[in-house]
Amino acid sequence: MSYLVLARKYRPRNFTEMVGQEHVVQALTNALVQQRLHHAYLFTGTRGVGKTTVSRILAKSLNCQGADGQGGITAEPCGVCQACRDIDAGRFVDYTELDAASNRGVDEVQSLLEQAVYKPVQGRFKVFMIDEVHMLTNTAFNAMLKTLEEPPEYLKFVLATTDPQKVPVTVLSRCLQFNLRPMAPETVFEHLTQVLAAEQLSAEPQALRLLSRAARGSMRDALSLTDQAIAFGNGQLQEAGVRQMLGSVDRTHVLQLIRALTDGDGATVVGQVNALRLQGVSAAATLEDMAMLLQRMAVMQMVPGMAQDGDDPDTQGLADLAQAMPAEETQLLYSLCLHGRTELGLAPDEYAALTMVFLRLLAFKPPAGTAEKKSPRISLQPVTEVAAATSRPPSVPPAAVAQPRAEPAAQSPQVPTSAAQTSPVPTARPSTVPVSEPPPWEDLPDTADYASDDAADAFVASLPASVPAASGLRALPVREASDSARVDVPKAASSTPLQTTPEGDVWFGVVQGLLAQEAITALVRELALQSQLVARDADQWMLRIERESLNHAASRERLQTALATAGHGQVQLQIELGPVVDCPAKRLAIAAAAKMVAAQALIENDPMVQAMVRDFGARIVPGSLQVV
C-alpha cells in the first residue's frame, strides 16, 4: 500500500477536528443547527489553513444521511453513510470542485452552470466548490453573477481564495465571507504533538517548535515539513537535525550576537557572523530569528511577565538580555533586523551585509566605558580682551565681545538670568511656540537672522521680570499645527535654564559666524549649537556637551577645520560631558520664543483682529502664527 502523507492522512473529517478556526466553525455550526443556510459562502485565507477542508465538511453536513439512512442536515456528519464516504473519497456526484487556476475562462464556468438546472442525483444539495476563485476572468465572473445571486434552492456555492482583493465586489456582496486565520505557532505545536503521538514517533519539543515557526501559519506546511523531518531523521525528530534541515540558526548564536551588541563588542559580533558563514546558515534566517527574539525582549521590557514561556529554555536568557539592553536599543535593533533583510540581496555578499546590519547599531551606540574615559578637564586661564578680539570671526563686531552685556542688540538676544530661572508663567496670555528638533541628517534653518533682528532684541531687552525666558513655553505637537505654521528653531539639549557666561558670548559669536559662512552642516552644526565653551587659550578650547551621541571624532575634526578656515587658528578641541547652561541653541531658542511672543502680542492688539473677535466671535487658531 502506498504511503499517505500526513497532511492528507490527518485532514479533519468534521468540525470538531478543525483547529485554529473556532470563529468559522462556530458560525457554520450554529447556521446548520438552526438551518439558516446561505446559498453562497466565501472562504479566504493563506495557504494550508483549511479552506478546502471546511468546504468538504460543509458539503457532508448538508448531504449526510446518518448511519441509519434517516439523518438530515446536521453540524456533526456521521462519516459512515454513503454520502460522507463518497465526499471524503472525492467521488460524490453532487459535489463538484472546480480549480479556477486552470479553468478560468467563461466556457468552463458556463459548463459548470449548465449543471445547475438539474436536481441532485444522490444527495440533498448540489455543492459547487470553486477554488482560487480570484483567478477567474472578468467575463467568467459576469457569467456566474445571476446564478450566484438567485440559485435554485438545492444549489450551494462555496468559493475559496487566497487573495480576496481580486474578487469583484459584485461577487463579494452575494456571499457570506469567512476569513480563516493563519495558525498560531502554539496551535501548530499542539497539533503536531497529537499527530506524532498517533504515529507513535518520538520528537523533541524544540524540534516541533522549529517546525511550528517554519510553517508560518499553515498547518499543511507544518505537516509537510514534519514528513520531511521524519525522513531526514530516520524516524526521529531531533532539534539538531531539524535545524540543519531548515537551515535555521542556532539560538545560541543569536543570543550571543544580542549579548555582544548589548556590550558593544564588535569583535565578538564579527566572529559570530564568520561562524555562521562557516556553518552555511542563511543570513536571512539569522535576522528573522533575531527579530523574533527582540520582539519578545521588547514585550518583557514593557510588560514584564507577559512574554514568559516556561517551556522555552531560552526564556531566562532573554529575560537577562531584556534587563541588560536599553529599551530604545532593542527597538532600534529590531528595526535594523527588519530592514536589513531587504538589503541582503543588494550586497555582493549576504554575510557582509549581515555584518553591516549589526555594526550599524554599534555605530550609533556610544562605546562601552566612554563616560568613564572622557578626557580630563584642562585648566586654562581666562582670555584677555585682546585675545578675544583676535579670535572672533569677521562677522562679529568688537562690541559683541568686549561689551557683551552693555549692548544686547549687537549680539545674542538675552533674557536676565533671574527671569529665566524664577519668573512664573503668565496666565493672561499663554504663548505657544512650536519647537522641533530636526534630525541630525537635515540641515538646521538659517539662524543668523535671529541675532540681527533689532526689533526682537529690543523686545527681549524690555521684557519685565514676570515674563519667563523659555521654561514657560509649551511645545506644540506636530499634529496640532500644519507645516506652514511651524517654526523650526534649534532646541537646547536639556531643560536647564540659560545662564549667560562671557565664554558663551564668544562661542555664540563664533558659531554665528560659521553659520553665516555655511561652514558647518548636519552633525557638525549640531555639535556647535549644543555645546558650551568652558575655557580656552590660544591653541586649545574646552567644550562641554550633555549628549554623548554628539561626541564623534569626525564631527570634532570637521569643526576644528571650520574654525581654522574662519581664521581662529589651529585650534584643538577638547570635549567633556556635563551640564550645559549656555549654548547657542538655548540662546536661539529664547530669541525665537521672544519673536513669537512679540508676534502674538502684535496680532492680539491689532484693532481689526479685536473687532473681529468682538463682533463675529473669531479666534486665533493656536499655532497658526508664523515668524519669518
Side-chain angles (χ1 to χ4, degrees):
M1 183 177 180
S2 61
Y3 174 73
L4 191 63
V5 297
L6 296 179
R8 296 180 58 188
K9 183 178 180 180
Y10 290 95
R11 182 191 291 269
R13 299 291 191 268
N14 50 61
F15 287 124
T16 59
E17 296 179 3
M18 290 286 298
V19 293
Q21 308 297 343
E22 290 77 9
H23 61 296
V24 177
V25 171
Q26 180 179 353
L28 294 178
T29 300
N30 293 338
L32 290 168
V33 170
Q34 301 175 12
Q35 308 237 337
R36 300 177 64 89
L37 302 176
H38 203 270
H39 60 268
Y41 297 88
L42 175 63
F43 298 114
T44 65
T46 186
R47 75 278 178 270
V49 294
K51 299 185 295 296
T52 304
T53 299
V54 172
S55 172
R56 293 181 180 179
I57 297 175
L58 180 61
K60 290 194 296 183
S61 299
L62 294 173
N63 292 287
C64 180
Q65 300 172 358
D68 55 358
Q70 302 299 323
I73 299 176
T74 177
E76 299 177 356
C78 64
V80 297
C81 66
Q82 187 67 30
C84 292
R85 288 188 283 109
D86 288 348
I87 292 176
D88 288 335
R91 57 175 181 265
F92 191 63
V93 67
D94 293 322
Y95 176 71
T96 304
E97 288 190 4
L98 177 68
D99 180 19
S102 55
N103 301 276
R104 57 193 307 264
V106 63
D107 294 336
E108 290 82 357
V109 172
Q110 286 180 345
S111 177
L112 178 67
L113 296 178
E114 287 175 357
Q115 305 176 24
V117 298
Y118 302 106
K119 289 188 175 182
V121 177
Q122 295 180 352
R124 194 176 295 111
F125 291 94
K126 273 182 175 291
V127 179
F128 290 168
M129 194 277 180
I130 305 178
D131 199 8
E132 299 300 336
V133 69
H134 67 275
M135 300 293 290
L136 292 177
T137 63
N138 291 332
T139 308
F141 275 122
N142 293 332
M144 65 182 295
L145 284 180
K146 187 60 177 178
T147 307
L148 184 63
E149 181 178 8
E150 297 179 357
E153 60 181 6
Y154 52 80
L155 179 60
K156 303 295 181 183
F157 281 93
V158 178
L159 311 180
T161 178
T162 57
D163 195 355
Q165 287 78 17
K166 295 182 179 179
V167 179
V169 293
T170 52
V171 175
L172 295 177
S173 65
R174 290 165 166 81
C175 303
L176 286 184
Q177 183 173 344
F178 297 92
N179 183 25
L180 279 71
R181 304 166 184 165
M183 308 287 182
E186 295 78 9
T187 303
V188 178
F189 176 82
E190 295 176 0
H191 188 66
L192 291 182
T193 303
Q194 297 176 3
V195 169
L196 293 176
E199 290 288 315
Q200 298 182 355
L201 295 175
S202 61
E204 294 182 358
Q206 285 301 108
L208 295 184
R209 291 182 186 276
L210 289 175
L211 294 173
S212 302
R213 290 194 293 265
R216 297 182 179 276
S218 172
M219 187 65 73
R220 182 173 60 227
D221 289 2
L223 293 172
S224 299
L225 289 173
T226 304
D227 260 327
Q228 183 180 353
I230 292 173
F232 185 88
N234 195 19
Q236 294 183 352
L237 279 77
Q238 298 180 352
E239 179 185 3
V242 173
R243 192 180 296 278
Q244 182 180 0
M245 182 195 75
L246 297 175
S248 57
V249 62
D250 190 353
R251 282 286 183 89
T252 305
H253 292 288
V254 178
L255 293 175
Q256 291 177 357
L257 277 171
I258 299 178
R259 172 64 67 181
L261 292 172
T262 304
D263 299 336
D265 188 356
T268 302
V269 171
V270 177
Q272 288 294 329
V273 174
N274 291 334
L276 296 175
R277 181 198 298 268
L278 294 177
Q279 296 179 11
V281 178
S282 170
T286 303
L287 291 177
E288 181 180 352
D289 287 353
M290 181 170 288
M292 189 179 305
L293 294 181
L294 289 170
Q295 184 269 338
R296 293 181 57 188
M297 288 174 52
V299 175
M300 291 179 181
Q301 290 171 345
M302 299 302 173
V303 189
M306 190 170 183
Q308 302 291 339
D309 188 356
D311 298 332
D312 192 348
D314 299 327
T315 300
Q316 185 58 42
L318 285 177
D320 297 339
L321 288 175
Q323 294 181 355
M325 177 176 282
E328 58 272 14
E329 290 186 14
T330 304
Q331 298 292 337
L332 176 60
L333 183 55
Y334 178 78
S335 180
L336 291 177
C337 291
L338 291 184
H339 294 284
R341 296 181 63 184
T342 62
E343 301 177 5
L344 296 180
L346 303 177
D349 181 6
E350 68 172 4
Y351 294 100
L354 181 64
T355 305
M356 289 301 297
V357 170
F358 296 146
L359 294 183
R360 190 174 304 158
L361 174 68
L362 300 181
F364 290 99
K365 176 181 179 179
T370 302
E372 292 78 6
K373 297 179 181 179
K374 61 183 179 181
S375 57
R377 179 174 178 178
I378 55 178
S379 177
L380 302 175
Q381 297 295 331
V383 296
T384 61
E385 197 170 296
V386 178
T390 57
S391 63
R392 65 178 179 270
S395 59
V396 181
V401 178
Q403 299 176 354
R405 300 182 184 278
E407 298 180 14
Q411 54 167 329
S412 65
Q414 301 177 13
V415 180
T417 306
S418 60
Q421 294 178 346
T422 62
S423 299
V425 180
T427 58
R429 185 182 300 165
S431 61
T432 58
V433 182
V435 181
S436 63
E437 182 178 6
W441 54 84
E442 293 184 2
D443 290 343
L444 293 172
D446 188 5
T447 55
D449 58 340
Y450 290 139
S452 60
D453 191 275
D454 295 337
D457 296 342
F459 175 80
V460 174
S462 63
L463 283 176
S466 60
V467 178
S471 60
L473 301 177
R474 181 179 68 86
L476 183 66
V478 177
R479 61 178 179 271
E480 294 183 14
S482 61
D483 293 338
S484 61
R486 294 174 58 194
V487 181
D488 293 328
V489 298
K491 188 172 68 173
S494 68
S495 58
T496 307
L498 173 66
Q499 300 177 11
T500 57
T501 60
E503 295 296 329
D505 298 335
V506 175
W507 181 241
F508 181 76
V510 171
V511 173
Q512 287 290 81
L514 296 177
L515 293 176
Q517 300 173 13
E518 298 183 355
I520 54 176
T521 58
L523 288 175
V524 183
R525 172 185 287 188
E526 190 73 8
L527 173 61
L529 288 172
Q530 301 288 355
S531 59
Q532 175 185 354
L533 180 61
V534 180
R536 66 192 177 104
D537 58 13
D539 58 352
Q540 200 170 32
W541 292 11
M542 170 65 75
L543 298 179
R544 179 183 297 165
I545 59 176
E546 288 189 354
R547 294 188 298 178
E548 179 64 27
S549 58
L550 297 175
N551 188 13
H552 291 284
S555 301
R556 185 169 60 252
E557 292 175 359
R558 290 175 60 187
L559 184 56
Q560 292 176 171
T561 303
L563 291 173
T565 304
H568 299 285
Q570 298 298 326
V571 177
Q572 296 295 324
L573 296 179
Q574 298 289 338
I575 298 180
E576 67 173 9
L577 293 178
V580 175
V581 298
D582 186 11
C583 65
K586 291 180 180 292
R587 298 191 178 207
L588 294 176
I590 293 178
K595 296 178 86 173
M596 179 58 70
V597 172
Q600 186 169 351
L602 181 64
I603 292 297
E604 292 179 352
N605 295 328
D606 185 85
M608 181 177 294
V609 174
Q610 292 180 351
M612 295 181 66
V613 172
R614 180 183 64 253
D615 299 336
F616 302 102
R619 66 182 184 88
I620 300 175
V621 179
S624 61
L625 300 182
Q626 182 179 8
V627 178
V628 295

